[in-house]
Amino acid sequence: MASSKDRVAIRLDVIADIIKYLDEDEELQKLFGRPVSKSLVIAADNNDLRIEEGGGKELTEEESEKFLEVLNRAIKRYTT
């Protein structure tokens, strides 16, 4: 069994709040359509969880930066 230091956990209500925030963001709606969350995935890489674009749209560098900016804002808002 993996030790607790090898595990990452996030409460589901926090995930729900982040998803709602992303869905309501007008800039992301312009990029991905509505609902935004339909274009996103949660990816797990060992003990690293990430929210990423789900492969339906090729983002430009500027679009990627905007997505990361909004995502980081959402994560900070609901995890601090």
Side-chain angles (χ1 to χ4, degrees), residues 37-70:
S37 57
K38 194 169 187 172
S39 297
L40 305 177
V41 298
I42 295 178
D45 185 13
N46 293 320
N47 65 346
D48 181 27
L49 292 175
R50 290 172 284 168
I51 297 175
E52 301 177 344
E53 191 279 319
K57 177 178 167 71
E58 186 75 30
L59 297 178
T60 66
E61 187 172 329
E62 183 178 302
E63 291 170 331
S64 290
E65 288 175 11
K66 178 50 66 182
F67 171 56
L68 290 176
E69 177 185 310
V70 174

Side-chain angles (χ1 to χ4, degrees), residues 10-24 51 73-75 77-79:
I10 185 166
R11 290 190 341 247
L12 293 180
D13 64 319
V14 173
I15 292 285
D17 288 340
I18 291 170
I19 291 168
K20 183 176 184 224
Y21 184 95
L22 298 175
D23 275 341
E24 292 175 351
I51 297 175
R73 193 167 55 233
I75 291 169
R77 180 175 181 166
Y78 294 106
T79 61

